[in-house]
Amino acid sequence: MISVLLVRREGFLACKASGHALFDKNGRDIVCAAATVLLRTAALTLDGRSGVAFDGRAPERGVLSFEARADGGSGKLELEFAADFLQKGFESLAKEFPQNVQFECKLEE
């Protein structure tokens, strides 16, 4: 199972994902592919964005984590959009494939 934790607060976004969906064989797993596309696209988009300090890691297959902090007003908007993108994407994926994806979102003040 893929476990995803998304942490959101104003000016900050963190995401940690680990595991494998085990929906199908390695290289043919549509659930794993969907999760990977969501995570990589968000991380690659935030990395290097003006107004966002980004730190990400993918030390091995099946593990990806990142933290992003807004350095200014435009960075806050970037993080809010990325958080919405990830939250909606993983809520949908976990709803459709509850045996393969576990998603948790923590909203901090």
Side-chain angles (χ1 to χ4, degrees):
M1 175 176 281
I2 297 172
S3 295
V4 180
L5 172 63
L6 186 68
V7 178
R8 302 178 66 162
R9 72 174 173 262
E10 187 175 343
F12 177 82
L13 171 63
C15 187
K16 181 175 183 179
S18 62
H20 298 279
L22 304 175
F23 180 79
D24 202 347
K25 296 177 189 174
N26 189 15
R28 301 177 79 181
D29 193 323
I30 61 170
V31 178
C32 186
T36 300
V37 167
L38 285 168
L39 291 163
R40 282 188 184 171
T41 300
L44 290 169
T45 300
L46 290 171
D47 190 21
R49 276 305 241 229
S50 177
V52 175
F54 181 86
D55 181 34
R57 296 175 259 329
E60 60 188 75
R61 286 181 61 89
V63 178
L64 185 145
S65 64
F66 66 81
E67 289 187 3
R69 296 179 192 284
D71 288 340
S74 67
K76 287 181 182 181
L77 293 174
E78 300 274 357
L79 293 183
E80 187 176 336
F81 180 83
D84 286 346
F85 171 83
L86 287 168
Q87 185 173 347
K88 290 181 187 312
F90 277 108
E91 284 173 346
S92 174
L93 198 58
K95 183 178 180 181
E96 189 169 350
F97 299 98
Q99 306 255 333
N100 309 96
V101 179
Q102 177 186 17
F103 176 70
E104 180 182 0
C105 182
K106 289 187 178 180
L107 302 175
E108 297 182 345
E109 293 187 31

XYZ file of all heavy atoms in Angstrom:
825
model
N 0.844 -1.183 0.000
C 0.000 0.000 0.000
C 0.887 1.245 0.000
O 1.921 1.278 0.649
C -0.898 0.005 1.232
C -1.720 1.283 1.329
S -2.892 1.316 2.689
C -4.176 0.316 1.994
N 0.442 2.250 -0.727
C 1.108 3.551 -0.717
C 0.483 4.384 0.398
O -0.741 4.515 0.460
C 0.940 4.288 -2.068
C 1.590 3.506 -3.188
C 1.523 5.696 -1.977
C 1.307 4.076 -4.578
N 1.319 4.911 1.271
C 0.856 5.804 2.340
C 1.369 7.203 2.043
O 2.564 7.388 1.818
C 1.391 5.347 3.692
O 0.862 4.083 4.022
N 0.455 8.164 2.060
C 0.805 9.555 1.771
C 0.318 10.431 2.912
O -0.846 10.359 3.309
C 0.173 10.035 0.445
C 0.555 11.479 0.161
C 0.566 9.132 -0.711
N 1.237 11.246 3.421
C 0.895 12.245 4.440
C 1.194 13.615 3.863
O 2.324 13.889 3.438
C 1.709 12.029 5.714
C 1.572 13.131 6.770
C 0.133 13.234 7.278
C 2.542 12.884 7.915
N 0.191 14.468 3.840
C 0.326 15.841 3.367
C 0.103 16.763 4.566
O -0.891 16.615 5.280
C -0.719 16.122 2.286
C -0.657 17.457 1.572
C 0.591 17.538 0.706
C -1.900 17.656 0.723
N 1.033 17.669 4.800
C 0.922 18.629 5.895
C 0.844 20.024 5.282
O 1.724 20.411 4.506
C 2.119 18.534 6.862
C 1.995 19.572 7.971
C 2.229 17.127 7.441
N -0.211 20.742 5.634
C -0.451 22.078 5.080
C -0.577 23.105 6.197
O -1.231 22.848 7.200
C -1.775 22.114 4.316
C -1.922 21.152 3.199
C -3.298 21.252 2.564
N -3.460 22.547 1.914
C -4.380 22.804 0.999
N -5.243 21.889 0.640
N -4.456 24.002 0.456
N 0.032 24.240 5.983
C -0.237 25.431 6.786
C 0.168 26.616 5.923
O 0.846 26.459 4.906
C 0.462 25.388 8.133
C 1.949 25.568 8.106
C 2.498 25.654 9.553
N 3.928 25.667 9.548
C 4.706 24.625 9.758
N 4.167 23.438 10.021
N 6.013 24.731 9.714
N -0.246 27.779 6.320
C 0.036 28.958 5.510
C 1.545 29.112 5.316
O 2.307 29.168 6.271
C -0.530 30.218 6.158
C -0.399 31.427 5.247
C -1.061 32.662 5.814
O -1.888 32.547 6.736
O -0.735 33.752 5.323
N 1.946 29.133 4.059
C 3.349 29.322 3.733
C 4.217 28.085 3.861
O 5.439 28.165 3.742
N 3.602 26.913 4.085
C 4.366 25.678 4.265
C 3.594 24.490 3.716
O 2.375 24.395 3.869
C 4.645 25.443 5.752
C 5.358 24.150 6.041
C 6.732 24.058 5.899
C 4.651 23.028 6.453
C 7.391 22.857 6.167
C 5.299 21.833 6.720
C 6.677 21.754 6.577
N 4.320 23.584 3.077
C 3.742 22.351 2.555
C 4.777 21.246 2.697
O 5.947 21.437 2.347
C 3.373 22.521 1.077
C 2.940 21.281 0.302
C 1.653 20.719 0.892
C 2.751 21.626 -1.167
N 4.368 20.126 3.242
C 5.240 18.956 3.328
C 4.463 17.737 2.859
O 3.251 17.629 3.071
C 5.727 18.742 4.755
N 5.169 16.829 2.218
C 4.539 15.608 1.740
C 5.526 14.459 1.903
O 6.707 14.600 1.590
C 4.141 15.761 0.277
S 3.161 14.380 -0.351
N 5.017 13.347 2.407
C 5.833 12.142 2.521
C 5.015 10.972 2.000
O 3.875 10.758 2.437
C 6.247 11.885 3.967
C 7.110 10.657 4.085
C 7.641 10.445 5.474
C 8.561 9.215 5.449
N 9.136 8.937 6.736
N 5.592 10.239 1.075
C 4.925 9.080 0.496
C 5.877 7.893 0.551
O 7.075 8.034 0.299
C 4.518 9.356 -0.938
N 5.317 6.736 0.882
C 6.137 5.530 0.906
C 5.268 4.312 0.610
O 4.058 4.326 0.842
C 6.832 5.369 2.256
O 5.882 5.240 3.289
N 5.915 3.294 0.093
C 5.232 2.037 -0.177
C 4.968 1.819 -1.653
O 5.357 2.620 -2.509
N 4.320 0.709 -1.915
C 3.975 0.320 -3.277
C 2.495 -0.054 -3.310
O 1.978 -0.675 -2.373
C 4.834 -0.857 -3.734
C 6.295 -0.526 -3.758
N 6.873 0.163 -4.794
C 7.280 -0.769 -2.863
C 8.167 0.320 -4.534
N 8.441 -0.232 -3.363
N 1.832 0.294 -4.386
C 0.389 0.064 -4.487
C 0.036 -1.419 -4.541
O -0.989 -1.838 -4.018
C -0.170 0.780 -5.709
N 0.865 -2.226 -5.209
C 0.620 -3.653 -5.374
C -0.708 -3.942 -6.067
O -1.342 -4.966 -5.825
C 0.700 -4.379 -4.020
C 2.009 -4.179 -3.251
C 1.927 -4.838 -1.882
C 3.199 -4.685 -4.043
N -1.112 -3.047 -6.944
C -2.316 -3.244 -7.741
C -2.043 -4.214 -8.890
O -2.900 -4.995 -9.266
C -2.803 -1.896 -8.288
C -4.044 -1.976 -9.129
C -5.292 -2.082 -8.540
C -3.956 -1.949 -10.511
C -6.433 -2.155 -9.312
C -5.098 -2.017 -11.296
C -6.342 -2.124 -10.696
N -0.820 -4.139 -9.434
C -0.420 -4.995 -10.548
C 1.093 -5.195 -10.471
O 1.754 -4.682 -9.568
C -0.813 -4.353 -11.879
C -0.924 -5.351 -13.034
O -0.472 -6.503 -12.882
O -1.447 -4.977 -14.088
N 1.647 -5.883 -11.438
C 3.081 -6.148 -11.490
C 3.871 -4.855 -11.628
O 3.378 -3.866 -12.185
C 3.420 -7.050 -12.680
C 2.819 -8.418 -12.605
C 3.138 -9.195 -13.855
C 2.364 -10.493 -13.887
N 2.541 -11.200 -15.144
N 5.117 -4.889 -11.151
C 6.029 -3.750 -11.287
C 6.123 -3.351 -12.761
O 6.297 -4.201 -13.626
C 7.411 -4.135 -10.742
C 8.339 -2.962 -10.658
O 7.923 -1.817 -10.733
N 9.615 -3.243 -10.492
N 5.973 -2.077 -13.032
C 6.007 -1.579 -14.407
C 4.657 -1.568 -15.094
O 4.527 -1.018 -16.185
N 3.641 -2.171 -14.466
C 2.297 -2.213 -15.050
C 1.237 -1.729 -14.077
O 0.051 -1.879 -14.317
C 1.976 -3.644 -15.468
C 2.972 -4.198 -16.476
C 2.669 -5.608 -16.802
N 1.566 -5.593 -17.753
C 1.004 -6.670 -18.259
N 1.417 -7.843 -17.894
N 0.025 -6.573 -19.131
N 1.674 -1.148 -12.971
C 0.774 -0.762 -11.890
C 0.243 0.652 -12.113
O 0.953 1.632 -11.911
C 1.531 -0.856 -10.556
C 0.615 -0.786 -9.360
O -0.380 -0.035 -9.396
O 0.903 -1.471 -8.371
N -1.021 0.751 -12.520
C -1.603 2.065 -12.836
C -1.776 2.935 -11.590
O -1.697 4.162 -11.670
C -2.950 1.935 -13.581
C -3.987 1.184 -12.727
C -2.759 1.270 -14.936
C -5.401 1.225 -13.282
N -1.989 2.323 -10.435
C -2.156 3.093 -9.204
C -0.822 3.710 -8.800
O -0.741 4.891 -8.449
C -2.743 2.220 -8.073
C -2.880 3.015 -6.784
C -4.082 1.630 -8.493
N 0.227 2.928 -8.887
C 1.563 3.440 -8.587
C 1.933 4.557 -9.569
O 2.480 5.587 -9.175
C 2.585 2.313 -8.663
S 4.230 2.806 -8.156
N 1.624 4.354 -10.832
C 1.917 5.373 -11.844
C 1.176 6.672 -11.551
O 1.749 7.762 -11.647
C 1.564 4.860 -13.232
N -0.080 6.569 -11.160
C -0.863 7.771 -10.852
C -0.279 8.517 -9.657
O -0.125 9.747 -9.692
C -2.318 7.392 -10.577
N 0.076 7.781 -8.612
C 0.669 8.414 -7.428
C 2.004 9.063 -7.767
O 2.297 10.181 -7.337
C 0.841 7.382 -6.317
N 2.806 8.381 -8.545
C 4.104 8.908 -8.945
C 3.965 10.190 -9.752
O 4.696 11.161 -9.512
C 4.886 7.850 -9.754
O 5.074 6.692 -8.930
C 6.240 8.382 -10.211
N 3.030 10.224 -10.668
C 2.823 11.425 -11.478
C 2.386 12.602 -10.602
O 2.892 13.718 -10.755
C 1.802 11.166 -12.615
C 1.347 12.461 -13.256
C 2.405 10.248 -13.658
N 1.471 12.364 -9.675
C 1.041 13.441 -8.779
C 2.223 13.993 -7.982
O 2.440 15.209 -7.931
C -0.028 12.937 -7.805
C -1.426 12.720 -8.356
C -2.278 11.955 -7.348
C -2.073 14.048 -8.707
N 2.978 13.105 -7.362
C 4.086 13.525 -6.504
C 5.216 14.190 -7.280
O 5.695 15.259 -6.904
C 4.633 12.323 -5.730
C 3.701 11.771 -4.665
C 4.122 10.368 -4.258
C 3.675 12.698 -3.464
N 5.653 13.551 -8.349
C 6.773 14.110 -9.118
C 6.419 15.438 -9.753
O 7.240 16.356 -9.780
C 7.214 13.134 -10.209
C 8.043 12.008 -9.713
C 8.578 11.215 -10.881
N 9.312 10.052 -10.430
C 9.732 9.106 -11.233
N 9.487 9.162 -12.534
N 10.395 8.070 -10.753
N 5.206 15.551 -10.273
C 4.813 16.799 -10.916
C 4.783 17.935 -9.902
O 5.288 19.030 -10.168
C 3.439 16.648 -11.605
O 3.539 15.611 -12.592
C 3.012 17.940 -12.279
N 4.210 17.689 -8.745
C 4.185 18.727 -7.701
C 5.604 19.100 -7.275
O 5.946 20.287 -7.183
C 3.372 18.258 -6.505
N 6.445 18.098 -7.022
C 7.812 18.369 -6.572
C 8.623 19.101 -7.641
O 9.306 20.096 -7.342
C 8.499 17.063 -6.190
N 8.552 18.643 -8.868
C 9.317 19.284 -9.941
C 8.831 20.707 -10.215
O 9.616 21.580 -10.561
C 9.243 18.445 -11.223
C 10.004 17.118 -11.172
C 9.642 16.257 -12.381
C 11.499 17.362 -11.109
N 7.541 20.938 -10.037
C 6.990 22.270 -10.253
C 7.445 23.234 -9.156
O 7.803 24.384 -9.435
C 5.452 22.216 -10.315
O 5.076 21.367 -11.403
C 4.849 23.593 -10.532
N 7.444 22.774 -7.917
C 7.834 23.641 -6.801
C 9.342 23.891 -6.748
O 9.779 24.973 -6.348
C 7.373 23.037 -5.472
C 5.879 23.055 -5.226
C 5.534 22.239 -3.988
C 5.366 24.482 -5.092
N 10.116 22.897 -7.137
C 11.575 23.030 -7.089
C 12.040 24.127 -8.042
O 11.755 24.091 -9.233
C 12.243 21.712 -7.463
C 13.732 21.721 -7.196
O 14.206 22.541 -6.388
O 14.433 20.874 -7.804
N 12.707 25.114 -7.505
C 13.222 26.197 -8.339
C 12.242 27.321 -8.606
O 12.571 28.255 -9.337
N 11.025 27.228 -8.050
C 10.047 28.300 -8.248
C 10.473 29.535 -7.465
O 10.916 29.445 -6.326
C 8.671 27.898 -7.728
C 7.810 27.088 -8.648
C 7.641 27.759 -9.959
N 6.290 28.066 -10.267
C 5.739 27.766 -11.432
N 6.421 27.175 -12.373
N 4.511 28.111 -11.647
N 10.309 30.664 -8.073
C 10.584 31.929 -7.404
C 9.646 32.069 -6.205
O 8.445 31.823 -6.313
C 10.369 33.075 -8.392
O 10.564 34.300 -7.757
N 10.195 32.424 -5.061
C 9.385 32.613 -3.863
C 9.149 31.357 -3.059
O 8.413 31.378 -2.077
N 9.789 30.231 -3.459
C 9.599 28.963 -2.750
C 10.962 28.349 -2.445
O 11.786 28.175 -3.342
C 8.761 27.963 -3.587
C 8.678 26.614 -2.886
C 7.369 28.511 -3.861
N 11.193 28.030 -1.177
C 12.380 27.272 -0.771
C 11.972 25.809 -0.724
O 11.030 25.443 -0.009
C 12.870 27.733 0.602
N 12.660 24.971 -1.487
C 12.253 23.578 -1.667
C 13.372 22.632 -1.269
O 14.540 22.857 -1.591
C 11.889 23.334 -3.139
C 11.436 21.934 -3.424
C 10.121 21.577 -3.248
C 12.335 20.980 -3.874
C 9.697 20.281 -3.504
C 11.925 19.683 -4.137
C 10.602 19.332 -3.947
N 13.001 21.548 -0.575
C 13.947 20.490 -0.244
C 13.241 19.157 -0.425
O 12.231 18.896 0.239
C 14.430 20.642 1.214
C 15.429 19.570 1.606
O 16.228 19.135 0.750
O 15.406 19.160 2.781
N 13.729 18.345 -1.343
C 13.079 17.064 -1.611
C 14.061 15.916 -1.651
O 15.242 16.106 -1.926
N 13.538 14.718 -1.367
C 14.367 13.519 -1.378
C 13.570 12.339 -1.942
O 12.378 12.213 -1.683
C 14.792 13.143 0.047
C 15.679 14.144 0.742
C 15.956 13.781 2.172
N 15.263 14.410 3.284
C 14.789 15.629 3.380
N 14.827 16.422 2.364
N 14.239 16.099 4.468
N 14.283 11.507 -2.665
C 13.745 10.227 -3.128
C 14.887 9.222 -3.002
O 15.527 8.862 -3.991
C 13.234 10.330 -4.556
N 15.178 8.767 -1.769
C 16.366 7.948 -1.530
C 16.311 6.540 -2.121
O 17.344 5.912 -2.302
C 16.454 7.897 -0.003
C 15.055 8.103 0.458
C 14.431 9.025 -0.555
N 15.100 6.054 -2.407
C 14.955 4.713 -2.966
C 13.586 4.607 -3.633
O 12.712 5.452 -3.414
C 15.098 3.654 -1.878
C 14.059 3.786 -0.774
C 14.312 2.868 0.405
O 15.221 3.165 1.192
O 13.593 1.858 0.506
N 13.415 3.548 -4.416
C 12.108 3.324 -5.051
C 11.043 3.191 -3.975
O 11.249 2.543 -2.959
C 12.130 2.062 -5.907
C 12.888 2.210 -7.192
C 12.850 0.922 -8.000
N 11.499 0.530 -8.380
C 10.874 0.914 -9.482
N 11.479 1.715 -10.326
N 9.661 0.499 -9.757
N 9.934 3.852 -4.187
C 8.826 3.761 -3.251
C 8.870 4.743 -2.096
O 8.031 4.667 -1.204
N 9.821 5.674 -2.127
C 9.917 6.677 -1.060
C 10.188 8.039 -1.682
O 11.114 8.190 -2.483
C 11.058 6.349 -0.063
C 11.164 7.431 1.003
C 10.840 4.991 0.578
N 9.365 9.018 -1.339
C 9.564 10.389 -1.798
C 9.035 11.317 -0.719
O 7.948 11.090 -0.183
C 8.832 10.651 -3.113
C 9.067 12.016 -3.743
C 9.079 11.897 -5.257
C 8.051 13.035 -3.309
N 9.811 12.342 -0.398
C 9.343 13.336 0.559
C 9.885 14.700 0.168
O 10.925 14.804 -0.477
C 9.779 12.979 1.979
O 11.182 12.997 2.082
N 9.136 15.721 0.548
C 9.619 17.080 0.330
C 8.976 18.043 1.305
O 7.928 17.764 1.883
C 9.406 17.544 -1.120
C 7.974 17.698 -1.542
C 7.240 18.831 -1.235
C 7.358 16.715 -2.289
C 5.933 18.988 -1.641
C 6.046 16.850 -2.713
C 5.338 17.991 -2.389
N 9.655 19.176 1.480
C 9.132 20.312 2.227
C 9.325 21.542 1.365
O 10.349 21.679 0.691
C 9.878 20.503 3.546
C 9.586 19.454 4.569
C 10.205 19.766 5.926
O 10.830 20.843 6.082
O 10.049 18.939 6.826
N 8.353 22.420 1.411
C 8.438 23.679 0.670
C 7.930 24.801 1.560
O 6.905 24.647 2.247
C 7.617 23.594 -0.615
N 8.676 25.906 1.571
C 8.311 27.077 2.363
C 8.243 28.292 1.450
O 9.088 28.460 0.571
C 9.344 27.343 3.450
C 9.453 26.257 4.471
C 10.532 26.573 5.509
N 10.840 25.413 6.319
C 10.090 24.945 7.297
N 8.963 25.533 7.597
N 10.452 23.878 7.984
N 7.252 29.129 1.711
C 7.112 30.365 0.933
C 8.107 31.388 1.440
O 8.234 31.602 2.646
C 5.695 30.902 1.054
N 8.831 32.011 0.506
C 9.756 33.099 0.840
C 9.082 34.452 0.692
O 9.638 35.460 1.081
C 10.992 33.059 -0.070
C 11.916 31.901 0.270
O 11.834 31.375 1.388
O 12.724 31.535 -0.593
N 7.904 34.462 0.109
C 7.192 35.714 -0.102
C 5.743 35.455 -0.476
O 5.291 34.314 -0.491
N 5.030 36.526 -0.807
C 3.609 36.432 -1.128
C 3.300 35.526 -2.289
O 2.360 34.734 -2.238
N 4.077 35.617 -3.375
C 3.800 34.765 -4.531
C 4.056 33.300 -4.196
O 3.391 32.407 -4.716
C 4.643 35.192 -5.735
O 6.014 34.947 -5.491
N 5.017 33.030 -3.322
C 5.299 31.663 -2.909
C 4.134 31.033 -2.175
O 3.875 29.836 -2.305
N 3.406 31.824 -1.400
C 2.243 31.307 -0.687
C 1.183 30.805 -1.664
O 0.566 29.765 -1.441
C 1.649 32.372 0.229
C 2.482 32.648 1.453
C 1.813 33.692 2.336
C 2.672 34.010 3.549
N 2.032 35.003 4.415
N 0.975 31.535 -2.735
C -0.002 31.119 -3.742
C 0.437 29.834 -4.428
O -0.379 28.950 -4.704
C -0.220 32.226 -4.777
C -0.882 33.501 -4.264
C -0.913 34.569 -5.349
C -2.287 33.194 -3.767
N 1.729 29.729 -4.726
C 2.277 28.519 -5.353
C 2.034 27.308 -4.444
O 1.608 26.248 -4.902
C 3.778 28.665 -5.596
C 4.162 29.808 -6.494
C 4.118 29.440 -7.958
O 3.841 28.281 -8.297
O 4.371 30.337 -8.776
N 2.317 27.462 -3.151
C 2.154 26.358 -2.209
C 0.687 25.983 -2.026
O 0.354 24.807 -1.918
C 2.782 26.700 -0.864
C 4.292 26.840 -0.840
C 4.774 27.106 0.581
C 4.984 25.636 -1.418
N -0.168 26.976 -1.990
C -1.598 26.704 -1.847
C -2.122 25.896 -3.030
O -2.866 24.925 -2.861
C -2.382 28.010 -1.711
C -3.839 27.803 -1.398
C -4.591 29.101 -1.165
O -3.962 30.122 -0.807
O -5.822 29.090 -1.337
N -1.699 26.290 -4.235
C -2.136 25.550 -5.419
C -1.591 24.123 -5.402
O -2.322 23.162 -5.663
C -1.706 26.253 -6.709
C -2.150 25.508 -7.931
C -3.425 25.676 -8.422
C -1.300 24.613 -8.563
C -3.857 24.962 -9.535
C -1.723 23.898 -9.671
C -2.999 24.066 -10.160
N -0.294 23.953 -5.089
C 0.307 22.619 -5.056
C -0.374 21.741 -4.006
O -0.622 20.553 -4.244
C 1.800 22.720 -4.793
N -0.685 22.321 -2.854
C -1.365 21.566 -1.797
C -2.752 21.127 -2.245
O -3.153 19.976 -2.016
C -1.442 22.401 -0.526
N -3.494 22.027 -2.876
C -4.819 21.670 -3.396
C -4.716 20.563 -4.448
O -5.507 19.617 -4.453
C -5.511 22.889 -4.012
C -6.015 23.881 -2.981
O -6.078 23.544 -1.785
O -6.333 25.019 -3.388
N -3.745 20.691 -5.343
C -3.507 19.700 -6.403
C -3.265 18.321 -5.789
O -3.906 17.336 -6.161
C -2.306 20.161 -7.246
C -1.810 19.160 -8.239
C -2.417 19.032 -9.484
C -0.707 18.364 -7.966
C -1.937 18.120 -10.419
C -0.224 17.457 -8.886
C -0.842 17.335 -10.125
N -2.347 18.251 -4.827
C -2.025 16.972 -4.200
C -3.183 16.428 -3.380
O -3.503 15.231 -3.454
C -0.783 17.114 -3.322
C 0.530 17.253 -4.070
C 1.642 17.675 -3.127
C 0.888 15.953 -4.770
N -3.836 17.284 -2.612
C -4.937 16.822 -1.775
C -6.079 16.270 -2.613
O -6.565 15.165 -2.357
C -5.440 17.949 -0.867
C -6.508 17.472 0.103
C -6.908 18.532 1.118
O -6.238 19.551 1.273
N -7.997 18.288 1.815
N -6.505 17.002 -3.608
C -7.608 16.533 -4.453
C -7.218 15.271 -5.224
O -8.007 14.336 -5.355
C -8.065 17.632 -5.390
C -8.784 18.750 -4.669
C -9.260 19.818 -5.620
C -9.827 21.018 -4.911
N -10.784 20.761 -3.857
N -5.985 15.239 -5.730
C -5.521 14.072 -6.477
C -5.477 12.823 -5.618
O -5.953 11.754 -6.025
N -4.906 12.923 -4.414
C -4.797 11.744 -3.562
C -6.117 11.362 -2.914
O -6.365 10.176 -2.669
C -3.675 11.907 -2.537
C -2.346 11.551 -3.117
C -1.422 12.533 -3.397
C -2.035 10.239 -3.431
C -0.202 12.212 -3.965
C -0.820 9.905 -4.000
C 0.100 10.894 -4.261
N -6.979 12.322 -2.619
C -8.315 11.964 -2.121
C -9.052 11.136 -3.165
O -9.681 10.119 -2.844
C -9.110 13.223 -1.768
C -8.688 13.863 -0.469
C -9.361 15.196 -0.191
O -9.978 15.789 -1.102
O -9.251 15.666 0.961
N -8.965 11.555 -4.401
C -9.620 10.843 -5.491
C -9.020 9.449 -5.684
O -9.740 8.459 -5.829
C -9.497 11.658 -6.786
O -10.004 10.948 -7.883
N -7.694 9.367 -5.677
C -7.016 8.089 -5.875
C -7.317 7.117 -4.727
O -7.594 5.932 -4.952
C -5.506 8.330 -6.000
C -4.663 7.229 -6.612
C -5.123 6.870 -8.014
C -3.200 7.651 -6.628
N -7.306 7.615 -3.494
C -7.600 6.765 -2.333
C -9.057 6.315 -2.320
O -9.360 5.202 -1.876
C -7.262 7.506 -1.038
N -9.944 7.150 -2.811
C -11.357 6.780 -2.875
C -11.578 5.667 -3.907
O -12.336 4.731 -3.682
C -12.209 8.003 -3.221
C -13.694 7.728 -3.236
C -14.493 8.978 -3.524
C -15.972 8.680 -3.537
N -16.775 9.871 -3.830
N -10.905 5.782 -5.039
C -11.075 4.793 -6.105
C -10.326 3.490 -5.810
O -10.776 2.420 -6.209
C -10.596 5.373 -7.433
C -10.936 4.505 -8.615
C -10.715 5.189 -9.945
O -10.463 6.409 -9.984
O -10.796 4.486 -10.965
N -9.191 3.599 -5.114
C -8.360 2.422 -4.833
C -8.019 2.356 -3.332
O -6.853 2.456 -2.948
C -7.071 2.465 -5.670
C -7.307 2.462 -7.145
C -7.290 3.653 -7.863
C -7.556 1.280 -7.823
C -7.506 3.657 -9.225
C -7.777 1.273 -9.190
C -7.765 2.463 -9.897
N -9.013 2.182 -2.470
C -8.778 2.227 -1.018
C -7.878 1.095 -0.505
O -7.275 1.234 0.556
C -10.189 2.128 -0.415
C -11.001 1.462 -1.468
C -10.424 1.924 -2.780
N -7.778 0.014 -1.243
C -6.918 -1.108 -0.827
C -5.450 -0.838 -1.156
O -4.575 -1.543 -0.668
C -7.355 -2.389 -1.546
C -8.816 -2.700 -1.370
C -9.038 -3.825 -0.395
O -8.185 -4.672 -0.213
N -10.184 -3.814 0.251
N -5.200 0.201 -1.980
C -3.850 0.433 -2.483
C -3.247 1.768 -2.066
O -2.036 1.945 -2.140
C -3.846 0.356 -4.017
C -4.502 -0.907 -4.519
O -5.674 -0.901 -4.856
N -3.758 -1.995 -4.527
N -4.106 2.714 -1.652
C -3.629 4.061 -1.309
C -4.277 4.512 -0.006
O -5.503 4.493 0.128
C -3.961 5.086 -2.418
C -3.483 6.478 -2.026
C -3.354 4.666 -3.743
N -3.434 4.933 0.923
C -3.902 5.537 2.169
C -3.439 6.986 2.149
O -2.254 7.264 1.939
C -3.294 4.821 3.376
C -3.672 5.443 4.689
C -2.931 4.796 5.853
O -1.930 4.119 5.677
N -3.444 5.021 7.047
N -4.362 7.905 2.346
C -4.037 9.335 2.295
C -4.500 10.021 3.563
O -5.616 9.801 4.028
C -4.693 10.003 1.085
C -4.477 11.478 1.035
C -3.218 11.998 0.769
C -5.523 12.362 1.260
C -3.004 13.369 0.745
C -5.329 13.732 1.232
C -4.048 14.236 0.968
N -3.616 10.855 4.108
C -3.945 11.675 5.269
C -3.473 13.094 5.015
O -2.349 13.300 4.535
C -3.269 11.130 6.527
C -3.564 11.919 7.776
C -2.848 11.403 9.016
O -2.097 10.411 8.917
O -3.038 12.022 10.072
N -4.316 14.049 5.335
C -3.955 15.460 5.210
C -4.093 16.116 6.577
O -5.156 16.028 7.202
C -4.865 16.152 4.197
S -4.446 17.892 3.954
N -3.015 16.741 7.036
C -3.037 17.459 8.311
C -2.994 18.956 8.022
O -2.093 19.439 7.331
C -1.828 17.078 9.168
C -1.889 15.688 9.716
C -0.748 15.440 10.675
C -0.837 14.054 11.259
N 0.267 13.787 12.185
N -3.984 19.658 8.546
C -4.024 21.105 8.427
C -3.531 21.687 9.735
O -4.082 21.420 10.799
C -5.452 21.585 8.153
C -6.116 21.025 6.903
C -7.561 21.488 6.823
C -5.353 21.449 5.663
N -2.454 22.463 9.661
C -1.884 23.073 10.864
C -2.112 24.573 10.822
O -2.211 25.165 9.764
C -0.380 22.779 10.934
C -0.068 21.308 11.058
C 1.418 21.040 11.166
O 2.224 21.948 10.871
O 1.786 19.910 11.534
N -2.196 25.159 11.995
C -2.371 26.610 12.071
C -1.067 27.286 12.379
O -0.148 26.777 12.867
C -3.400 26.950 13.142
C -4.778 26.459 12.713
C -5.854 26.938 13.670
O -5.702 28.028 14.251
O -6.830 26.222 13.815
